[in-house]
Amino acid sequence: MIPQIIDLARQAGALLIEGLRRGPETQLKSAYEVVTDIDRASEALIVGSLRRDFPDIDIIAEEGSRYERGASTCWLIDPLDGTNNYAHGFPFFAVSIALVRERDPILGVIYDPLRDEMFVASAGAGAWCNDRPIRVSRTPTLAAALLSTGFPYDYATTPDNNLRQFDRLQACTQGVRRAGAAALDLAYVAHGRLDGHWERHLNPWDSAAGALLVREAGGRVSTWAGTTWNPWSDRLVASNGSIHAALVAVLADQG
């Protein structure tokens, strides 16, 4: 199964590159949330292949494809994570495909087609980038950490918009990056390029593959309260493990 999903992610990535070269057609899904014709084309490619080859597994994808029959396993698909980046030509986006069983990720594939980096994790089998094993960083303290985060699309209209948390953590770490593609942020935590990531209001397809990568690379994933996380949880914290308690404590203090 894994080689097939890797190949499917590569095919979707090739669509993204082709669309980027010719210029994507963009529409608004909400006041600030965009979708492109390439999102939909990538989703159609992935969903069509998975429905044909794995008909007994449910599917939930970002752009509306849903085939739910109550199976214990489900594909969670983000055909283009980082659509705003993509629409503006900002080079930070990816394809994300995860398989979950009873809400627990068991397979995750994230493909960055611009850098040709294929991140793969399988429950109990480790995490990999381009066939090489990856591990989380050894950064020992929050003060020495480089973090990432994201902000919700309804930032302008909700008071629970992550700004307090961002301000506090920016002040007590070596920096916070906001690159705009949670799947890649999480893959970078797994690879040791970032020491931690936190975010609220992620969708299941945003986080499932990346969270498994972090776990399998030796890191830790929880809710902001430090409790058990699953892809449908409202708030996610992922880290190298060493800084996890301190990161959760700051988030709890900021509400």
Side-chain angles (χ1 to χ4, degrees), residues 21-248:
R21 287 172 178 160
R22 67 164 171 76
E25 297 175 8
T26 303
Q27 296 178 331
L28 284 174
K29 290 199 291 187
S30 63
Y32 300 103
E33 188 176 6
V34 301
V35 64
T36 73
D37 58 327
I38 307 303
D39 289 76
R40 297 187 174 109
S42 177
E43 181 163 305
L45 170 70
I46 296 168
V47 169
S49 178
L50 294 178
R51 286 199 72 194
R52 180 185 66 244
D53 296 335
F54 305 100
D56 296 328
I57 300 177
D58 287 356
I59 294 174
I60 300 175
E62 180 178 17
E63 301 310 328
S65 298
R66 284 179 176 258
Y67 302 95
E68 298 178 88
R69 295 164 296 278
S72 62
T73 52
C74 179
W75 295 108
L76 295 175
I77 302 159
D78 194 338
L80 172 48
D81 183 55
T83 298
N84 266 329
N85 290 346
Y86 184 83
H88 289 273
F90 186 79
F92 197 78
F93 54 83
V95 177
S96 181
I97 304 172
L99 180 63
V100 300
R101 178 181 294 131
E102 303 293 349
R103 295 198 165 198
D104 190 27
I106 58 173
L107 172 65
V109 173
I110 296 172
Y111 182 51
D112 176 352
L114 285 178
R115 296 167 186 82
D116 192 24
E117 289 191 326
M118 183 70 69
F119 299 92
V120 179
S122 180
W128 305 77
C129 178
N130 291 353
D131 299 322
R132 300 187 66 174
I134 56 176
R135 296 289 296 177
V136 294
S137 73
R138 296 181 180 179
T139 302
T141 65
L142 191 60
L146 182 66
L147 306 179
S148 61
T149 192
F151 293 93
Y153 284 109
D154 61 354
Y155 176 90
T157 59
T158 177
D160 187 17
N161 59 15
N162 194 32
L163 186 59
R164 293 191 312 277
Q165 292 80 8
F166 175 86
D167 184 62
R168 180 70 182 93
L169 285 161
Q170 175 70 25
C172 68
T173 65
Q174 290 192 354
V176 178
R177 303 293 180 255
R178 199 280 195 185
L184 272 183
D185 287 328
L186 291 167
Y188 279 22
V189 174
H191 206 312
R193 297 169 178 171
L194 292 166
D195 304 304
H197 179 85
W198 86 94
E199 198 161 344
R200 63 176 285 273
H201 287 187
L202 288 172
N203 292 301
W205 50 79
D206 295 316
S207 58
L212 181 62
L213 275 159
V214 173
R215 286 176 176 171
E216 290 298 318
R220 185 177 171 189
V221 181
S222 76
T223 68
W224 286 19
T227 56
T228 300
W229 172 91
N230 71 67
W232 282 264
S233 298
D234 179 58
R235 303 179 183 213
L236 170 146
V237 185
S239 79
N240 65 358
S242 300
I243 67 167
H244 203 88
L247 181 52
V248 166

